Amino acid sequence: MPHFITLSHVSWSTPDGRPLLKDINLRFGQERVGLVGRNGAGKTTLLKLISGELAPSEGSIVISGQLHVLQQSLQVTAGETIGDLFGARDALDVLAKAQAGQATIDELGDVDWLLEDKITEAMSRFSLDASPATPLSELSGGQRTKVALAALNYVSPDIILLEEPTNNLDHEGRRAVAEFLHAWRGGAIVVSHDRQLLETMDAIVELTSLGASRYGGNWSLYRQTKELELASAQRDLDTAEKSVSDAKQNAQDALEHKARQDRAGSRKVAKGDMPRIVAGGRKMAAQQTSGKTANRTAQQQDEAAQQLQKARERIEILQPLTVSLPSTKLAVTKVVLKLMNVTGGFAAEDPVIRDLSFEVRGPQRVAIKGPNGSGKTTLLSLITGGLPPCQGEVRVGVDLAYLDQDVSILDRQMSISDNFLRLNPEVEENQCRATLARFMFRADAALQRVGSLSGGQILRAGLACVLGGPALPQLLILDEPTNHLDLDAISSVEAGLRAYDGALLVVSHDDVFLSNVGIDRRLDLG
């Protein structure tokens, strides 16, 4: 297999000198590779190094063939059109001049009379009906992603880099991305936490603080291998802990043995059974032996401590976050939420929710589904009181907590711990720290300012503040909770939500997530 990209001993540090990537050795060829790792592990940085946006601190990156990048979020500039994403602005301008009879002889020789049709056909494969002249500002984020994929398919480079290509896409958009990659015959490196998409990969590369590891096969095979690695790491940890205990016991035994010998020698000298010159010689020899023994036991303790540290690091990397929650004590007959003939929207003259009635009773788990623009976020605003209905009535019968996509309950200028104490004023500092530690904000990490966190860390902090208090809400409402979480964090949130016994209302396009949290009803706004 030809290798389009080769990374040799690549390292990179942040501007303040903090090492992020160290001695990375990877090869990527004509294959689809999923790039995974916890938030902050360096996935985006690695893509930037490969694309040339960043330069490595050490090592080299060799690229053969044409490479294109699909950004996580397309930044639209004024006047930018669909044709610009296809790299066809100049060619389209010449075509327009030719169609108007204004092209020069030289320009006519370069005219591609079928260019508009080719671009339109490329977009039709992604269910897009727009002309190349359509401004990108008129398209939704999902539509822009589809246009970018269509442009990639049209240009057909040797290898493509995609960062979270399914983020903010509805079910149809996610399917389009999956079908695009399934049909792709070049190389592809895909940063994603979309497990359905990762199931289509040929290999998985994981970034951790220990470096980069490659796993052959798709997401399921990767997870099976990780479970075996975790079991092995746990055995190594048990062995390392026993070695530390044994080394300490050996050191204690040596000290006690020397103490007994010293006492016995002292008694003999005191009785006159041993000449002082002989006693002195034996004492000197004993001290030398004791010194060698002390050095040997100290070395054993150091080696055991190093093995223990390495074993703990492996466990820390492999062991996902776990969350345990108290009961909400929600009765199965309790009417949690009731909407009666509700009509509403942010534009009262053109409501997106019309005459909607539904009820949630007891600890039911409801997924709100529908394509982008169908009113899912509007419905959540009507339920949580952020938007009054134009008609009808919304009744909420229990305490609720709502985490929107921006996690706006958190004050960005405050630390995580200060936010927790603000939202849970009855909690003491020690309990706050213990709760945040369960959500992987240990020690000084709990003192980080929320505004300095990544998107995934902010959501994790929001979940900690909402679910870590002494009294859980009986209704939890989440808007696209997995969009900014890494895969380990998603698994942890799933575990926590499975332990949560209140009512759950979730907007999500992640079908694997919805299945794993036990959704038993779906409200389709399509």
Side-chain angles (χ1 to χ4, degrees):
M1 179 194 305
H3 291 114
F4 295 122
I5 299 174
T6 302
L7 289 82
S8 302
H9 305 290
V10 169
S11 298
W12 188 85
S13 299
T14 61
D16 61 2
R18 179 176 62 87
L20 183 61
L21 299 174
K22 184 173 178 59
D23 199 28
I24 302 297
N25 295 280
L26 290 170
R27 289 181 175 180
F28 300 97
Q30 194 171 334
E31 58 186 341
R32 294 158 297 186
V33 179
L35 184 60
V36 303
R38 291 180 177 174
N39 289 335
K43 303 185 296 296
T44 298
T45 299
L46 185 60
L47 288 194
K48 289 181 177 180
L49 288 167
I50 293 173
S51 67
E53 187 176 342
L54 292 175
S57 306
E58 298 177 11
S60 63
I61 301 174
V62 177
I63 299 175
S64 59
Q66 187 183 23
L67 182 147
H68 275 237
V69 180
L70 177 71
Q71 301 293 344
Q72 182 176 13
S73 57
L74 295 169
Q75 302 300 319
V76 179
T77 58
E80 195 171 11
T81 67
I82 286 176
D84 290 319
L85 279 186
F86 278 77
R89 174 181 281 269
D90 293 341
L92 287 168
D93 288 344
V94 172
L95 176 59
K97 289 174 65 178
Q99 290 171 336
Q102 299 172 352
T104 66
I105 295 297
D106 291 339
E107 289 174 333
L108 284 173
D110 296 329
V111 170
D112 183 351
W113 297 96
L114 298 177
L115 180 57
E116 287 184 332
D117 293 336
K118 291 176 182 177
I119 293 176
T120 301
E121 181 185 356
M123 290 192 298
S124 68
R125 297 177 185 176
F126 292 86
S127 303
L128 291 168
D129 183 17
S131 75
T134 301
L136 291 178
S137 59
E138 295 182 4
L139 304 180
S140 68
Q143 288 173 323
R144 292 174 197 162
T145 298
K146 291 181 183 180
V147 171
L149 288 171
L152 277 179
N153 202 44
Y154 177 80
V155 175
S156 192
D158 297 303
I159 193 163
I160 54 177
L161 309 180
L162 298 89
E163 184 175 9
E164 300 291 1
T166 58
N167 252 17
N168 302 314
L169 293 186
D170 55 24
H171 190 269
E172 179 186 353
R174 285 172 174 245
R175 186 174 65 248
V177 172
E179 290 174 353
F180 166 81
L181 282 170
H182 178 73
W184 185 252
R185 291 298 172 259
I189 303 175
V190 186
V191 172
S192 180
H193 64 248
D194 184 337
R195 287 162 291 187
Q196 286 179 302
L197 188 63
L198 292 172
E199 287 290 358
T200 68
M201 297 292 106
D202 302 309
I204 301 292
V205 168
E206 181 186 34
L207 288 182
T208 69
S209 60
L210 300 182
S213 302
R214 181 185 175 95
Y215 300 82
N218 61 8
W219 172 254
S220 293
L221 290 173
Y222 158 78
R223 289 307 305 170
Q224 291 173 16
T225 304
K226 293 293 287 184
E227 288 175 5
L228 293 174
E229 287 184 356
L230 180 58
S232 174
Q234 185 61 58
R235 289 193 296 271
D236 289 347
L237 179 61
D238 294 341
T239 300
E241 288 176 339
K242 185 176 186 305
S243 295
V244 169
S245 177
D246 290 346
K248 288 180 178 178
Q249 186 61 52
N250 290 340
Q252 182 63 32
D253 290 346
L255 287 173
E256 292 176 358
H257 179 68
K258 181 179 182 302
R260 287 195 297 271
Q261 286 183 322
D262 290 346
R263 287 195 298 270
S266 298
R267 286 195 297 270
K268 288 183 178 181
V269 171
K271 291 180 180 179
D273 295 339
M274 181 183 300
R276 290 188 177 275
I277 189 170
V278 175
R282 290 189 176 184
K283 181 178 181 181
M284 183 178 297
Q287 287 175 340
Q288 291 174 345
T289 302
S290 177
K292 292 178 181 178
T293 301
N295 289 337
R296 187 167 57 252
T297 56
Q299 183 178 355
Q300 290 173 346
Q301 285 182 300
D302 288 343
E303 291 174 353
Q306 291 174 11
Q307 291 174 356
L308 180 60
Q309 179 62 28
K310 290 179 180 178
R312 282 176 175 166
E313 286 176 351
R314 288 184 64 201
I315 288 289
E316 177 71 19
I317 289 169
L318 296 170
Q319 183 67 56
L321 167 70
T322 57
V323 179
S324 60
L325 303 173
S327 174
T328 63
K329 298 181 173 61
L330 177 61
V332 295
T333 57
K334 177 69 175 179
V335 177
V336 173
L337 174 66
K338 189 169 187 177
L339 275 70
M340 295 168 284
N341 306 112
V342 170
T343 294
F346 291 98
E349 67 280 3
D350 186 24
V352 293
I353 302 296
R354 295 178 182 273
D355 198 29
L356 177 64
S357 298
F358 83 99
E359 180 180 283
V360 177
R361 187 181 291 269
Q364 290 183 320
R365 297 178 169 239
V366 184
I368 300 176
K369 303 285 289 182
N372 290 340
S374 60
K376 301 185 294 296
T377 299
T378 300
L379 178 57
L380 296 190
S381 294
L382 290 166
I383 292 171
T384 57
L387 184 68
C390 301
Q391 296 178 15
E393 185 178 357
V394 178
R395 293 181 185 173
V396 181
V398 298
D399 291 335
L400 69 81
Y402 173 43
L403 288 181
D404 59 20
Q405 292 189 42
D406 296 325
V407 197
S408 55
I409 63 166
L410 298 180
D411 186 329
R412 295 305 198 261
Q413 302 305 314
M414 297 174 66
S415 69
I416 302 171
S417 59
D418 286 343
N419 269 287
F420 186 94
L421 294 170
R422 174 178 62 85
L423 294 169
N424 301 280
E426 67 278 24
V427 173
E428 295 182 354
E429 177 74 20
N430 287 342
Q431 185 181 351
C432 165
R433 287 303 192 94
T435 299
L436 292 178
R438 294 208 317 270
F439 285 83
M440 291 179 68
F441 294 112
R442 300 184 180 92
D444 289 346
L447 304 179
Q448 297 175 96
R449 186 173 60 85
V450 170
S452 69
L453 303 177
S454 69
Q457 290 171 320
I458 290 174
L459 180 53
R460 182 151 43 95
L463 287 168
C465 291
V466 167
L467 299 180
L472 264 66
Q474 293 186 318
L475 171 60
L476 179 60
I477 302 177
L478 303 173
D479 190 1
E480 294 290 0
T482 64
N483 263 7
H484 301 291
L485 289 184
D486 59 47
L487 289 158
D488 284 338
I490 290 174
S491 297
S492 303
V493 171
E494 290 170 349
L497 292 179
R498 286 195 296 269
Y500 173 73
D501 62 2
L504 189 63
L505 199 61
V506 185
V507 169
S508 178
H509 296 299
D510 188 339
D511 289 335
V512 177
F513 172 79
L514 295 175
S515 174
N516 288 345
V517 300
I519 292 297
D520 49 30
R521 284 181 59 192
R522 293 177 185 254
L523 175 64
D524 194 341
L525 300 181

